[in-house]
Amino acid sequence: MMTPFGSGDVFARIDRGILEPMGGPSLSLRVNIGSRTVLLSPEESRSALYGPRRDITTGAAVWRQAVTEARREPSTGDGSARLLVVWLVLPGLYRNLHRILRLWRIDRADLEAEAVLAVLAALDAADPDSPDTGGRLVKEAVNQMWTYAKRVTREVPVVDIGAVAEARNNIVSEEDQPHPSEGWELHIEPPPRREGLQATLRFAEPRARRSGRQIDSRLSGMVFRARRHAEADRIGSLILRPAGARR
């Protein structure tokens, strides 16, 4: 009945916690079947629920005793009784677990953890005397796995907002920026906005500056006026200065 899992999977850790208890006695269930009381190991309890010779009456008795002991377990206990209930649920989850993993690229450990949390939450409201207690626990875990899988597949990855904010806040001011010994600096007024330009711009320089042949000699302080069109108000300026020139 055991299904092999990777050493880091949640279900595998639960398997080890039940079958290889650390420093404690092996778990067992004292199950009342008719007029008889039977002491069952975890493997025998699971076999009664899922094995080829499973019996409805014995299975109902196993669920009733396991859920009863789990709900009676004090908050200061070691949680072994609740862990046993989760372990008994696991075989009912394998088919849906594997189906979800085939459909979507989801982290297996996260999916298994969601199932375990669903079982523990349902256990708090479970009725030990209900004939379908085990089925309800399995159903809650299966539904939670599908709900989680569908939710995470709709999530869209975004940029690292923290990294973007940090990079933005670490911008060097103009005063602290190194200035090359040669070349030109371009200053734009007003500064560019995130939403960008919303229209085609025209850039013009005074007529007096267009007639000269020595363009380089006139670049110092050259100002281009930006307008949306000839009749519109000016919306900005492009100022070109020699690198390091006094503003």
Side-chain angles (χ1 to χ4, degrees), residues 63 75 126 157 164:
W63 282 121
S75 57
V164 172

Side-chain angles (χ1 to χ4, degrees), residues 144-210:
Q144 180 58 27
M145 285 195 299
W146 281 102
T147 299
Y148 172 77
K150 292 175 181 178
R151 184 178 75 247
V152 298
T153 53
R154 290 194 299 266
E155 295 176 352
V156 179
V158 297
V159 298
D160 187 342
I161 301 300
V164 172
E166 182 178 359
R168 186 172 183 176
N169 293 334
N170 288 337
I171 294 177
V172 180
S173 65
E174 289 189 9
E175 291 75 12
D176 296 332
Q177 291 179 358
H179 297 287
S181 58
E182 298 181 357
W184 302 92
E185 294 178 355
L186 177 65
H187 301 271
I188 301 176
E189 298 177 357
R193 295 177 298 177
R194 174 174 296 181
E195 58 270 23
L197 299 174
Q198 302 298 317
T200 302
L201 303 178
R202 291 182 58 194
F203 301 98
E205 62 173 310
R207 288 181 180 273
R209 292 187 173 178
R210 294 181 185 172

Side-chain angles (χ1 to χ4, degrees), residues 199-202 225-235:
T200 302
L201 303 178
R202 291 182 58 194
R225 307 298 182 182
R227 301 176 184 274
R228 293 186 187 275
H229 54 78
E231 304 301 326
D233 295 334
R234 183 170 66 87
I235 61 173

Side-chain angles (χ1 to χ4, degrees), residues 58-129:
T58 304
V62 168
W63 282 121
R64 180 169 53 252
Q65 188 63 27
V67 171
T68 297
E69 292 186 12
R71 298 199 58 177
R72 288 177 179 174
E73 189 173 36
S75 57
T76 56
D78 60 4
S80 58
R82 295 172 70 83
L83 189 66
L84 178 61
V85 172
V86 174
W87 186 77
L88 292 175
V89 170
L90 297 188
L93 309 182
Y94 297 150
R95 178 183 301 175
N96 282 274
L97 172 71
H98 295 152
R99 184 180 175 190
I100 292 172
L101 293 175
R102 285 194 300 267
L103 288 174
W104 296 297
R105 299 185 63 178
I106 298 176
D107 186 86
R108 180 171 183 155
D110 288 343
L111 193 60
E112 292 180 357
E114 288 291 327
V116 171
L117 291 175
V119 174
L120 294 175
L123 179 59
D124 292 333
D127 180 6
D129 296 321

